[in-house]
């Protein structure tokens, strides 16, 4: 990651994790066979990296590391995968890591052809270079004149040793011997540019696809055309032959159709129309299997099986994402594992954050689903609904009836969808009395119970419908809720309040049940969208002046205002706990606002403007979609697994750009580690020993060090053993026996040792302790910090011994006892270690209560100490009583 102006990483809260919903682009796939695992693998490109899938289950095997630029072409052999980006191409081992890089081209590389231990690369300037793979050295370089022979296709004919066949945009073909560097033969061609070359199952025969849509089966040994086929769908994009005993050739087209040609009867035997919704990028028959692998620019990878009686292909397995940029994304459910996404391609899909096998498509919206089924329409383009612009989903009643409501571009009626059945729902919700065509649905919401849908229209009307029956259940306002277009609707978690926002700048609160207006708020600017966090009752409003207002729906007042975006705010998301508000804007920034402090705590830029943001209900991921991007990008929440500084950003903070996360998770782990490194430089807040001199401050000692000081004698009595422990007498090495015929052990003799002296040596107690010395010093300099710290280190018994030894009877003095009282006075005066001062004073009074009245010096010192003790305690007691009173009122009163 890059670093911002203040040295921190570009985003302190979010690190790129991975991208969802990316499976293929407009580059042809590469199929290779692993001799070790006896399986076929297909490799597809997704921007700056490529995916490798196991053909058997179409499961994702590996994701390559990213390259600096978008990949322009790919190829593969049995060991390595080759990917070109810009004027450089690299060889990847284990479908993941770069092991060789080849740099010599001056222009962008367009073609790659593995050639044994060598690889051939061709750039847009028609410069052909043959490389030795393992030494990365050039073996041969050929330069062609682009105006005469611009290379557009390359093929290594089977059994043709050291020879390659080149096709050109001018239509001619050339056969070269690359070992001797000689042009062997030039084929005149068919006056149309060559787009595809493919080796036929027969030796010396190759298929040549042209821009005109023709396919010539040509014998390159005798320069004879064996047969010709023609497709009316545009240029030939890819060619493949079946090798499982059926003489079938498949040819792809730019409109997504695939033609199947019988080579024996020389005729078209089948058409696979709309195999892809965009151009067929690549198609490959697996060796000796009736399986056809296709991919296209529609972000789909499909495997077709030919097991029908007429030789037609049916879809066997597929991986599919959106084929057009996304319009709306939202997390579905409470487990944070599914993301619903709507796209400009008209589909509604669900992507799993756990595994791709849980992805599912809810399909295209159809105007009349029953009519399509009844008439069996093949081309449903005319009856498809426009793209979904906004939707709302609730899983509460998903098993009983539809749980998703969506409004479509330029349409008045809103469609319902069933997530469980993965299909469009039963009803199209729209007011019956409205006849004008220029009114469209602009905002939708669904209640938390899943029973009602609220729909706002561009005319200003807001209607309520029952999701189970589709019946209209009323409208807000006498004629219409707003005088302008409805920009947003929201319903609270208890179905009591409905909030609507209109383009005239009014925010209105309605009673959900009787549709009566409760309150209206005039906004500073027209709202662009609204978002309600139901759990906390916090409403976020994005305004047209690029600012954000936050309202409390209970008090109906603005509680926070945020400004800083330089472009239209496209979307907002709350964190699950309602502490953060995340906003995405057309200024390419994603900002995180902390609601309790009202500050901006995180901001970073992305290359493509974010259109949608949504936060996982579990708080682990932030999902975003971007302009002209087909994928959903996940960002991990760093605060869940690392210490993050949530310091407010300065007003002049310059955010740094962050690359969108790739499809590889391991790469993103490295990024997150880099993000953690600068956390060592964070300013760690160290709490002072006392926040303020007026505040009573307690010590950090455990209660066992001071709470039981007055009960030590009771504790000692409880812990006193009933009888002293008996020392077992050691047995002699030879056990004594009594002499006689029957051996018997001698009874042990009880020793009559004189008792030891119990006189205690008082010399040890007579010595002055370190605490005693510090108290003597305190009489002179009035400093008692060291004496207090010494007492803090002692246990309860040690403290009692120290205080007991202050008495003149045990080697102490009245002056030292006076010094101790002064130490307590200093502690109370500074209001530090408050509970220790009280405990030490109580123990001192208990130990020396009989002696204190007879000493005038100590009495005078205690009279000075009394007002301090009373003043501090009375103040604390009043605060305690006040708090207890409020708590009791809250617990008992009917609020």
């Amino acid at each position: 990651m890059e670093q911002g102006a203040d040295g921190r990483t570009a985003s302190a809260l979010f690190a790129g994790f991975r991208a969802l919903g990316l499976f293929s682009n407009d580059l042809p796939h590469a199929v290779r066979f692993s001799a070790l695992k006896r399986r076929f693998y297909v490799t597809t490109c997704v921007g700056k990296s490529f995916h490798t899938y196991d053909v058997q289950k179409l499961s994702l095997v590996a994701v390559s590391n990213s390259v600096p630029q978008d990949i322009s072409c790919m190829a593969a052999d049995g060991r390595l995968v080759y990917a070109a980006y810009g004027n450089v191409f690299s060889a990847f081992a284990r479908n993941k890591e770069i092991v060789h890089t080849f740099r010599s081209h001056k222009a962008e590389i367009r073609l790659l052809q593995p050639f044994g231990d060598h690889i051939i690369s061709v750039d847009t300037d028609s410069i052909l270079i043959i490389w030795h793979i393992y030494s990365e050295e050039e073996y041969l370089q050929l330069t062609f004149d682009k105006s005469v022979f611009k290379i557009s296709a390359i093929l290594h004919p089977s059994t043709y040793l050291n020879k390659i066949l080149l096709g050109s945009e001018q239509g001619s073909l050339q056969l070269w011997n690359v070992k001797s560097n000689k042009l062997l033969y030039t084929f005149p061609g068919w006056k149309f540019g060559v787009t595809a070359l493919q080796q036929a199952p027969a030796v010396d025969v190759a298929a040549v696809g042209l821009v005109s849509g023709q396919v010539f089966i040509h014998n390159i040994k005798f320069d004879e055309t064996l047969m010709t086929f023609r497709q009316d769908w545009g240029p030939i994009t890819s060619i493949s032959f079946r090798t499982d005993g059926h003489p079938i050739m498949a040819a792809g087209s730019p409109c997504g159709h695939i033609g199947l040609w019988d080579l024996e009867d020389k005729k078209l035997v089948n058409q696979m129309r709309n195999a892809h919704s965009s151009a067929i990028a690549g198609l490959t028959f697996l060796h000796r299997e009736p399986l056809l692998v296709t991919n296209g620019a529609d972000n789909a990878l499909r495997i077709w099986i030919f097991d029908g009686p007429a030789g037609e292909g049916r879809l066997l397995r597929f991986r599919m994402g959106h084929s057009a940029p996304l319009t709306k994304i939202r997390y579905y459910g409470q487990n944070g594992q599914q993301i619903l996404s709507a796209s400009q391609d008209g589909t509604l899909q669900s992507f799993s954050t756990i595994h791709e096998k849980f992805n599912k498509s809810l399909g295209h919206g159809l105007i009349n689903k029953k009519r399509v089924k009844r008439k069996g329409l093949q081309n449903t383009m005319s009856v498809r609904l426009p793209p979904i612009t906004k939707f709302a989903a609730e899983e509460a009643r998903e098993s009983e009836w539809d749980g998703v409501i969506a409004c479509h571009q330029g349409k008045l009626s809103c469609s319902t969808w069933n997530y469980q059945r993965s299909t469009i729902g039963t009803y199209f919700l729209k007011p019956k009395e409205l006849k004008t065509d220029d009114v469209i649905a602009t905002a939708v919401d669904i209640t938390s119970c899943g029973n009602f849908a609220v729909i706002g229209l561009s005319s200003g009307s807001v209607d309520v419908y029952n999701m189970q029956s589709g019946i209209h259940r009323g409208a807000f306002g006498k004629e219409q809720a707003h005088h302008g277009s409805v920009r947003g609707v929201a319903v609270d978690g208890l179905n009591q309040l409905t909030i609507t926002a209109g383009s005239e700048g009014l925010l209105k609160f309605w009673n959900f049940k009787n549709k009566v207006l409760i309150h209206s708020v005039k906004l500073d600017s027209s709202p662009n969208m609204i978002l309600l966090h139901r759990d906390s009752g916090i409403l976020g409003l994005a305004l047209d002046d690029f600012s954000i207002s936050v309202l409390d729906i209970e008090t109906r007042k603005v509680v926070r205002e945020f400004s800083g975006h330089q472009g239209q705010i496209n979307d907002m998301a709350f964190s699950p706990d309602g502490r953060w508000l995340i906003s995405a804007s057309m200024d390419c920034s994603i900002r995180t606002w902390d609601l309790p402090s009202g500050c901006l705590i995180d901001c970073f830029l992305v290359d493509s403007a974010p259109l949608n943001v949504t936060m996982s209900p579990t708080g682990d991921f932030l999902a975003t979609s971007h302009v002209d991007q087909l994928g959903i990008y996940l960002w991990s929440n760093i605060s869940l697994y690392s210490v993050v500084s949530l310091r407010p950003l300065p007003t002049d903070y310059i955010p740094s750009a962050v690359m969108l996360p790739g499809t590889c998770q391991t790469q993103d782990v490295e990024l997150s580690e880099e993000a953690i490194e600068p956390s060592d430089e964070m300013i760690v807040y160290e709490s002072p020993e006392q926040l303020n001199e007026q505040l009573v401050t307690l010590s950090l000692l455990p209660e066992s060090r001071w709470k039981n000081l007055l009960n030590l004698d009771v504790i000692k009595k409880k812990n006193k053993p009933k009888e002293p422990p008996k020392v077992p007498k050691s047995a002699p090495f030879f056990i004594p026996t009594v002499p006689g015929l029957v051996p018997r052990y001698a009874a042990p003799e009880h020793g009559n040792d004189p008792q030891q002296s119990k006189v205690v040596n008082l010399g040890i107690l007579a010595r002055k302790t370190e605490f005693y010395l510090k108290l003597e010093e305190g009489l002179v300099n009035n400093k008692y910090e060291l004496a207090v710290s010494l007492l803090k280190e002692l246990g309860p018994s040690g403290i009692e011994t120290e205080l007991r030894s202050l008495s003149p009877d045990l080697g102490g003095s009245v002056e030292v006892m006076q010094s101790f009282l002064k130490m307590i006075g200093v502690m109370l005066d500074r209001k530090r270690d408050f509970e220790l001062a009280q405990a030490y004073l109580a123990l001192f009074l208990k130990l020396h209560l009989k002696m204190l009245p007879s000493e005038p010096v100590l009495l005078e010192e205690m009279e000075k100490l009394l007002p301090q003790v009373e003043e501090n305690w009375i103040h604390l007691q009043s605060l305690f009583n006040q708090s207890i009173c409020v708590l009791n009122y809250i617990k008992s009163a009917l609020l």
Side-chain angles (χ1 to χ4, degrees):
M1 287 188 181
E2 299 177 16
Q3 291 195 348
D6 61 351
R8 55 172 271 181
T9 53
S11 175
L13 283 180
F14 300 106
F17 181 65
R18 62 171 300 198
L20 300 177
L22 296 177
F23 300 100
S24 173
N25 62 5
D26 58 344
L27 295 184
H29 63 262
V31 174
R32 62 193 191 92
F33 180 74
S34 173
L36 180 64
K37 297 186 177 180
R38 308 293 296 171
R39 285 185 179 180
F40 286 99
Y41 294 93
V42 59
T43 301
T44 59
C45 176
V46 285
K48 297 179 181 179
S49 61
F50 59 83
H51 291 183
T52 302
Y53 295 90
D54 183 356
V55 174
Q56 188 173 2
K57 292 185 178 180
L58 213 56
S59 56
L60 184 62
V61 174
V63 177
S64 73
N65 294 334
S66 295
V67 294
Q69 303 177 43
D70 286 342
I71 296 174
S72 56
C73 64
M74 280 196 321
D77 57 20
R79 295 161 295 179
L80 302 171
V81 178
Y82 307 93
Y85 46 96
N87 57 355
V88 179
F89 74 97
S90 298
F92 291 77
R94 294 177 291 279
N95 302 308
K96 185 176 184 63
E97 53 200 31
I98 296 176
V99 291
H100 302 291
T101 302
F102 306 88
R103 310 171 187 270
S104 186
H105 284 281
K106 299 292 187 286
E108 186 177 9
I109 300 171
R110 282 300 179 188
L111 295 171
L112 290 174
Q113 174 65 48
F115 196 65
D117 289 338
H118 299 77
I119 184 166
I120 304 170
S121 59
V122 182
D123 61 21
T124 53
D125 290 339
S126 288
I127 296 177
L128 183 148
I129 301 178
I130 302 176
W131 308 79
H132 189 275
I133 295 174
Y134 300 104
S135 64
E136 302 180 10
E137 296 176 352
E138 287 188 30
Y139 174 78
L140 178 66
Q141 180 170 328
L142 299 175
T143 304
F144 297 85
D145 187 356
K146 287 196 299 182
S147 60
V148 178
F149 192 88
K150 185 175 182 180
I151 302 173
S152 59
I154 185 171
L155 172 69
H156 169 50
S158 181
T159 72
Y160 279 54
L161 192 64
N162 300 325
K163 296 175 182 65
I164 57 173
L165 180 66
L166 304 175
S168 68
E169 291 184 0
Q170 287 77 14
S172 60
L173 295 90
Q174 294 183 4
L175 184 65
W176 282 79
N177 187 319
V178 295
K179 187 173 183 180
S180 60
N181 192 14
K182 288 183 180 180
L183 175 62
L184 302 180
Y185 190 78
T186 300
F187 301 89
W190 298 271
K191 298 181 181 179
F192 292 100
V194 178
T195 58
L197 289 174
Q198 181 63 38
Q199 173 70 46
V203 181
D204 302 326
V205 179
V208 183
L210 305 180
V211 176
S212 61
Q214 293 173 296
V215 180
F216 289 88
I217 309 299
H218 198 75
N219 188 310
I220 58 177
K221 184 175 182 180
F222 301 106
D223 192 11
E224 292 180 359
T225 300
L226 305 179
M227 55 191 80
T228 305
F229 305 107
R230 182 182 181 86
Q231 294 182 173
D232 296 330
W233 301 323
I236 303 298
T237 58
S238 186
I239 301 173
S240 185
F241 292 90
R242 283 185 70 172
T243 55
D244 60 337
H246 296 267
I248 300 295
M249 178 191 71
S253 65
C255 55
H257 306 325
I258 299 174
L260 299 174
W261 302 86
D262 192 316
L263 300 179
E264 286 185 352
D265 297 338
K266 300 181 181 180
K267 66 177 182 180
L268 181 69
V269 292
N270 234 313
Q271 299 180 37
M272 298 169 62
R273 287 186 172 269
N274 300 312
H276 288 268
S277 60
S278 63
I280 303 293
L283 53 86
T284 306
F285 277 106
L286 297 186
H287 186 60
R288 293 184 178 179
E289 291 191 27
L291 298 177
L292 176 66
V293 181
T294 64
N295 78 299
D298 59 348
N299 194 20
L301 173 66
R302 293 184 169 95
I303 298 180
W304 311 80
I305 185 170
F306 293 83
D307 55 357
E312 69 275 9
R314 64 178 177 88
L315 187 61
L316 181 63
R317 286 181 286 271
F318 67 93
R319 288 284 182 264
M320 181 182 68
H322 287 294
S323 59
L326 279 63
T327 57
K328 188 79 171 177
I329 63 170
R330 281 293 180 266
Y331 268 94
Y332 181 79
Q334 296 301 315
N335 58 7
Q337 296 180 1
Q338 299 290 338
I339 300 176
L340 271 178
S341 66
S343 166
Q344 294 177 8
D345 60 8
T347 62
L348 184 66
Q349 297 192 30
S350 172
F351 293 97
S352 171
T353 59
I354 304 300
H355 197 279
E356 292 171 341
K357 67 181 179 182
F358 300 118
N359 294 355
K360 63 179 182 179
S361 174
L362 280 70
H364 285 272
L366 300 177
I367 295 175
N368 194 327
K369 186 177 175 182
K370 293 182 179 178
R371 176 171 168 267
V372 172
K373 280 188 174 181
R374 186 171 61 251
K375 295 192 174 183
L377 295 177
Q378 295 294 325
N379 186 9
T380 59
M381 296 297 292
S382 59
V383 294
R384 285 183 177 177
L385 287 169
I388 295 172
T389 54
K390 288 181 175 60
F391 67 82
E394 179 58 52
E395 65 171 355
R397 296 285 189 156
E398 65 172 6
S399 58
E400 283 89 3
W401 53 75
D402 302 337
V404 182
I405 178 78
C407 55
H408 298 262
Q409 183 177 344
K411 294 283 288 185
L412 170 62
S413 59
C414 292
S415 60
T416 61
W417 298 73
N418 193 296
Y419 183 85
Q420 204 169 52
R421 296 201 306 267
S422 302
T423 181
I424 191 169
T426 312
Y427 305 109
F428 287 93
L429 307 179
K430 66 176 180 178
K432 293 181 179 179
E433 64 275 3
L434 203 60
K435 301 297 183 183
T436 54
D437 296 333
D438 56 345
V439 178
I440 62 172
T442 55
V444 291
D445 194 19
I446 187 169
T447 57
S448 58
C449 60
N451 288 305
F452 299 99
V454 183
I455 301 174
L457 307 180
S458 59
S459 61
S461 301
V462 179
D463 300 280
V464 181
Y465 298 86
N466 186 283
M467 288 294 291
Q468 182 181 10
S469 62
I471 298 175
H472 185 266
R473 292 299 187 189
F476 294 96
K478 294 182 179 179
E479 295 183 0
Q480 55 192 23
H482 291 273
H483 296 295
S485 174
V486 178
R487 296 287 178 85
V489 294
V491 184
D492 71 342
L494 300 176
N495 291 3
Q496 293 182 344
L497 275 180
T498 302
I499 304 108
T500 62
S503 59
E504 76 275 13
L506 285 177
L507 182 73
K508 295 186 177 182
F509 296 82
W510 309 81
N511 185 296
F512 180 81
K513 188 175 183 180
N514 56 28
K515 314 294 187 297
V516 175
L517 180 64
I518 300 174
H519 188 69
S520 181
V521 177
K522 178 65 177 175
L523 303 174
D524 296 336
S525 178
S526 297
N528 181 38
M529 66 165 292
I530 68 173
L531 180 68
L532 176 65
H533 188 259
R534 284 174 173 165
D535 292 342
S536 64
I538 297 296
L539 181 74
L541 291 103
L543 306 180
D544 284 343
D545 61 358
F546 312 151
S547 66
I548 298 173
S549 296
V550 180
L551 280 87
D552 183 0
I553 64 172
E554 292 294 331
T555 61
R556 305 182 188 100
K557 293 182 179 179
V558 177
V559 293
R560 293 288 185 272
E561 289 185 345
F562 303 120
S563 61
H565 282 293
Q566 304 298 321
Q568 175 186 326
I569 298 171
N570 294 324
D571 201 5
M572 297 184 297
F574 282 102
S575 62
D577 57 1
R579 289 185 62 89
W580 298 343
L581 177 62
I582 303 156
S583 58
S585 168
M586 287 302 291
D587 60 6
C588 296
S589 69
I590 297 176
R591 296 172 183 253
T592 304
W593 312 87
D594 187 60
L595 294 182
S597 64
C599 298
L600 175 68
I601 57 174
D602 189 60
C603 177
F604 64 95
L605 300 176
V606 287
D607 297 332
S608 181
L611 287 178
N612 294 280
V613 289
T614 177
M615 191 82 175
S616 166
T618 56
D620 49 357
F621 291 113
L622 175 74
T624 62
S625 68
H626 300 263
V627 173
D628 296 333
Q629 300 289 332
L630 305 182
I632 298 172
Y633 298 90
L634 294 181
W635 309 79
S636 61
N637 185 356
I638 300 176
S639 66
L640 294 184
Y641 55 84
S642 177
V643 179
V644 176
S645 172
L646 297 182
R647 288 174 293 154
L649 297 181
T651 54
D652 58 347
Y653 176 74
I654 302 175
S656 298
V658 179
M659 287 181 61
L660 291 178
T663 51
C664 178
Q665 295 184 19
T666 54
Q667 174 190 359
D668 303 315
V669 172
E670 295 171 4
L671 287 177
S672 63
E673 289 175 358
E674 293 176 9
I676 293 171
E677 287 177 7
S679 64
D680 297 335
E681 303 173 6
M682 291 193 303
I683 299 175
V684 180
Y685 176 75
E686 294 182 0
S687 177
E689 292 185 7
Q690 190 175 20
L691 297 177
N692 191 290
E693 293 181 357
Q694 302 300 321
L695 296 178
V696 172
T697 306
L698 304 181
S699 70
L700 299 179
L701 293 180
E703 290 184 351
S704 60
R705 302 282 286 276
W706 56 269
K707 194 173 184 180
N708 298 318
L709 287 177
L710 296 179
N711 303 320
L712 283 178
D713 50 350
V714 179
I715 294 172
K716 287 180 179 179
K717 285 182 180 180
K718 285 184 178 180
N719 295 337
K720 184 178 180 181
K722 294 180 179 179
E723 57 182 12
K726 296 179 180 180
V727 180
K729 292 190 175 183
S730 57
F733 186 77
F734 296 103
I735 301 177
T737 59
V738 177
L741 296 175
V742 181
R744 287 182 303 167
Y745 296 111
E749 296 180 2
H750 295 283
N752 296 322
D753 295 337
Q755 293 185 355
Q756 295 181 355
S757 173
K758 294 185 179 180
V759 178
V760 179
N761 185 6
L762 296 179
I764 301 173
L765 296 177
R767 288 167 48 189
K768 295 181 179 179
T769 63
E770 190 174 355
F771 174 68
Y772 189 97
L773 296 175
K774 296 301 178 185
L775 287 181
E776 287 183 337
E777 293 178 6
L779 285 172
V780 180
N781 53 21
N782 202 30
K783 292 182 180 179
Y784 294 100
E785 289 83 0
L786 293 177
V788 175
S789 61
L790 287 173
L791 276 185
K792 283 183 179 182
E793 296 174 359
L794 297 176
S797 299
I799 295 172
E800 186 194 26
T801 303
E802 289 285 358
L803 298 191
R804 195 182 291 274
S805 64
L806 298 181
S807 171
D809 299 337
L810 297 175
S813 64
V814 175
E815 291 78 11
V816 175
M817 296 176 71
Q818 181 186 7
S819 178
F820 178 82
L821 293 174
K822 286 185 176 181
M823 180 190 78
I824 299 297
V826 171
M827 293 173 70
L828 294 175
D829 187 44
R830 296 181 180 178
K831 298 184 179 180
R832 288 170 58 176
D833 302 325
F834 181 77
E835 82 279 25
L836 295 185
Q838 300 285 344
Y840 295 161
L841 179 60
L843 180 60
F844 180 83
L845 294 176
K846 178 182 177 182
L847 295 177
H848 307 293
L849 186 61
K850 294 181 180 179
M851 176 199 160
L852 290 175
S854 61
E855 297 292 339
V857 179
L858 299 180
L859 281 175
E860 182 182 355
E861 196 65 41
M862 290 172 63
E863 289 176 358
K864 295 179 183 177
L865 197 59
L866 180 62
Q868 287 181 285
V869 176
E870 290 181 345
E871 180 185 357
N872 288 335
W873 175 242
I874 291 173
H875 177 62
L876 279 179
Q877 192 175 30
S878 63
L879 292 177
F880 288 153
N881 292 337
Q882 183 180 357
S883 301
I884 292 172
C885 180
V886 172
L887 285 173
N888 288 333
Y889 172 73
I890 293 174
K891 287 164 62 177
S892 60
L894 296 176
L895 296 179

